[in-house]
């Protein structure tokens, strides 16, 4: 019986069958499978052709032991299950990450961490080196999860950052430019009582979007009034609540920039309940350009942040850091774009 027949006819192909078909030793096949050096181009090609012909699948557990690799990465979201399910942003990030690693042999683990108990459990998991690297989104100031990741020394890429001085690798949308463009658009429509609803102020994204609001107002010579600034938490409920509060204390408001589409949807509900027409009485702009923006009534003008591309870029950076330990950290800022619809 030929080597080819043996490889295909006697069950699952083995390392030895690949070696026999390629005409090389078992060690050479092992080095090719593990991506190690010390193999000639001719031998590598022969092994790769034999693997393809036999349909050989490397033993993941054995390979992980040989290379000290877990063949897995973690995507950590320091939020509750409710928040994860309600915000389209997270789904886009997950889709982007999964797409980027689809051609690798890495498994993607989704880990939610919102309590002290869950953080302790995560610490044990990471200390056990059960993943080769970590992606973290929804970054909050003084988040103990970030400090934990720094302590473990695992390759880490953030979706967002703690500040402009962030030492870790990260991918971030242009929050300042996006917010500035949104408010500049509202001012260009002739609106002068422009309010804003921010996200949580322990997140750099919220602070920078507020900075963009302030910059656009100041450049237009319009006073920034404390009464026109309200603070939400990116949720639809907080948008509705804070818009109601804004109308109570600033009834002449004629536009509002919301730091997320969900908050904008909530604000629009509060405006309708108060008898305000959109956009005739109050123009509304959101941030994300998520599917929510296309399904509000009227459709929502919003700042598009490329969330799915953000996930892909995060995964690319992490794969590079895993492949090249000790490489310098990188920071990527992705462009945003104002998408104009009927709400403004």
């Amino acid at each position: 019986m030929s080597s080819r027949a043996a490889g295909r006819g006697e069950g699952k192909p083995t390392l030895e069958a690949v070696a026999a078909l390629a005409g090389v030793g078992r060690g050479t096949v092992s080095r090719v499978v593990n991506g190690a050096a010390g193999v000639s181009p001719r031998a590598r090609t022969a092994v790769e052709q034999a693997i393809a012909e036999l349909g050989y699948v490397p033993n993941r557990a054995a390979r992980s032991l040989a290379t000290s690799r877990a063949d897995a990465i973690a995507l950590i979201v320091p939020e509750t299950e409710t928040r994860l399910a309600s915000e389209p942003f997270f789904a886009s990030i997950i889709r982007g990450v999964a797409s980027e690693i689809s051609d690798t042999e890495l498994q993607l683990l989704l880990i939610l961490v919102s309590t002290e108990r869950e953080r302790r459990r995560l610490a044990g998991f990471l200390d056990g080196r059960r993943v080769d690297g970590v992606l973290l989104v929804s970054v909050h100031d003084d988040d103990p999860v970030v400090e934990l990741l720094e302590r473990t020394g695992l390759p880490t890429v953030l979706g967002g950052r703690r500040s402009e001085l962030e030492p870790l690798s990260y991918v971030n949308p242009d929050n300042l430019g996006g917010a500035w463009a949104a408010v500049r658009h509202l001012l260009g429509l002739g609106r002068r009582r422009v309010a804003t609803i921010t996200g949580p102020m322990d997140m750099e994204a919220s602070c920078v979007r507020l900075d963009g609001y302030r910059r656009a107002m100041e450049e237009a010579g319009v006073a920034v009034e404390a009464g026109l600034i309200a603070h939400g938490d990116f949720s639809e409920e907080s948008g509705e609540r804070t818009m109601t509060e804004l109308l109570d204390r600033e009834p002449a408001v004629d536009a509002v920039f919301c730091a997320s589409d969900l908050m904008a949807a909530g604000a629009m509900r509060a405006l309708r309940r108060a008898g305000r027409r959109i956009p005739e009485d109050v123009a509304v702009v959101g941030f994300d350009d998520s599917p929510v923006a296309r399904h509000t009534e009227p459709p929502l003008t919003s700042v598009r942040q490329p969330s799915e591309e953000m996930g892909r870029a995060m995964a690319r950076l992490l794969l590079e850091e895993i492949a090249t330990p000790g490489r310098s950290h990188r920071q990527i800022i992705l462009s945003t774009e104002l998408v104009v619809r009927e709400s403004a």
Side-chain angles (χ1 to χ4, degrees):
M1 182 181 293
S2 69
S3 298
R4 183 178 305 178
R8 288 180 173 171
E10 297 178 359
K12 185 177 179 180
T14 63
L15 197 73
E16 289 76 10
V18 173
L21 181 58
V24 299
R26 189 179 186 280
T28 299
V29 176
S30 180
R31 284 194 294 276
V32 171
V33 167
N34 292 321
V39 181
S40 70
R42 182 177 179 181
R44 186 178 297 278
T45 298
V47 170
E48 289 171 347
Q49 290 176 345
I51 287 173
E53 187 166 343
L54 294 174
Y56 172 70
V57 178
N59 184 310
R60 184 181 298 274
R63 193 181 71 171
S64 295
L65 288 172
T67 62
S68 299
R69 289 274 298 274
D71 283 338
I73 62 173
L75 173 58
I76 299 176
V77 182
E79 304 290 353
T80 63
E81 294 90 338
T82 301
R83 178 94 186 270
L84 177 74
S86 65
E87 291 205 19
F89 168 78
F90 294 121
S92 295
I93 291 288
I94 294 169
R95 195 160 51 242
V97 172
S99 172
E100 188 63 30
I101 69 169
S102 62
D103 290 333
T104 74
E105 294 187 3
L106 292 172
Q107 297 292 324
L108 176 62
L109 307 179
L110 177 62
I111 302 176
L112 303 185
V113 182
S114 60
T115 67
E116 180 57 35
R117 179 184 178 187
E118 289 169 343
R119 282 190 286 272
R120 288 197 302 269
R121 192 163 58 208
L122 175 65
F125 180 83
L126 297 177
D127 285 340
R129 287 298 195 269
R130 298 183 191 178
V131 292
D132 299 314
V134 174
L135 302 168
L136 175 68
V137 294
S138 196
V139 180
H140 295 257
D141 293 345
D142 302 320
D143 190 337
V145 172
V146 184
E147 297 172 8
L148 171 63
L149 294 173
E150 290 178 312
R151 179 177 61 79
T152 64
L154 281 167
T156 298
V157 176
L158 307 181
R161 62 189 185 186
R162 289 168 289 181
S163 74
E164 289 183 352
L165 303 178
E166 178 60 65
L168 296 173
S169 292
Y170 66 79
V171 180
N172 207 33
D174 180 9
N175 289 303
L176 182 68
W180 175 86
V183 178
R184 183 169 174 267
H185 174 71
L186 289 169
L187 293 166
L189 296 175
R191 311 296 170 129
R192 285 299 176 266
R193 303 295 293 168
V194 182
T196 186
I197 300 176
T198 76
M201 297 309 288
D202 68 340
M203 297 184 71
E204 198 255 4
S206 301
C207 297
V208 173
R209 290 174 195 177
L210 178 57
D211 289 343
Y213 163 84
R214 287 192 170 115
R215 180 177 296 186
M217 296 282 278
E218 290 166 357
E219 288 179 0
V222 179
V224 176
E225 301 177 20
L228 291 173
I229 300 173
H231 302 295
D233 62 10
F234 287 143
S235 71
E236 188 171 354
E237 292 74 20
S238 74
E240 183 173 7
R241 182 185 69 252
T242 51
M243 189 71 243
T244 300
E245 294 168 357
L246 278 168
L247 290 173
D248 287 342
R249 68 172 181 258
E250 297 288 344
V253 65
D254 60 7
V256 60
F257 164 59
C258 301
S260 78
D261 287 349
L262 281 176
M263 290 198 300
M268 293 169 78
R269 189 160 58 239
L271 288 167
R272 283 193 297 270
R273 189 171 60 245
R276 306 296 179 93
R277 297 169 301 163
I278 305 168
E280 292 87 353
D281 300 325
V282 182
V284 182
V285 177
F287 199 110
D288 287 332
D289 193 37
S290 66
V292 171
R294 296 184 288 279
H295 294 97
T296 57
E297 183 53 46
L300 177 67
T301 293
S302 183
V303 178
R304 176 179 295 160
Q305 63 168 336
S307 304
E308 191 165 332
E309 172 54 29
M310 187 173 168
R312 286 194 292 268
M314 289 170 63
R316 281 196 298 272
L317 283 186
L318 186 61
L319 293 176
E320 291 170 6
E321 293 205 2
I322 292 171
T324 314
R327 63 169 292 155
S328 59
H329 295 310
R330 293 178 58 196
Q331 291 81 36
I332 295 176
I333 303 294
L334 299 176
S335 298
T336 53
E337 174 191 2
L338 183 67
V339 180
V340 178
R341 299 190 180 91
E342 286 87 338
S343 74

